[in-house]
Amino acid sequence: MARIEVRIDDDTKTKAVAELKKHQITLSAFVKAQVATVASEGLPPYYSMPNTEQDKSIQEIANDIKGKKKLPGATNPDDLERLLNE
């Protein structure tokens, strides 16, 4: 059996232990369950980094905000639908 050690600030640990205690779960059991879930099911989507398509979209929005390249706008639902399908 492997051992995992992590460093975490005291306040965060205290808060986590208190929250887990409400559900009758130890910190150790919670960490074991999380690692086992990742091992059997992969990383949950809410932990994932943006994929290439999402990253491109984020960059387009940032460029629009910075005024580097204006994104096309829509004035009605049909235009919006067309733009979203491009």
Side-chain angles (χ1 to χ4, degrees):
M1 183 172 283
R3 181 182 176 106
I4 298 173
E5 291 185 33
V6 297
R7 291 197 174 278
I8 190 164
D9 67 87
D10 293 333
D11 187 48
T12 300
K13 179 182 176 186
T14 300
K15 289 176 181 178
V17 168
E19 183 61 32
L20 291 168
K21 189 174 184 177
K22 294 177 191 176
H23 303 278
Q24 300 172 346
I25 302 169
T26 65
L27 185 57
S28 180
F30 178 77
V31 171
K32 285 179 189 177
Q34 293 303 302
V35 172
T37 298
V38 170
S40 64
E41 300 173 19
L43 196 63
Y46 49 86
Y47 281 107
S48 296
M49 298 302 288
N51 62 33
T52 305
E53 186 177 327
Q54 291 167 332
D55 192 43
K56 182 181 171 191
S57 295
I58 291 168
Q59 189 59 55
E60 286 178 352
I61 293 166
N63 287 340
D64 181 64
I65 291 169
K66 292 176 184 175
K68 290 183 178 180
K69 182 180 178 188
K70 205 69 177 148
L71 290 172
T75 57
N76 60 59
D78 291 334
D79 284 347
L80 179 60
E81 185 72 31
R82 181 184 51 77
L83 288 170
L84 291 172
N85 289 320
E86 286 182 354

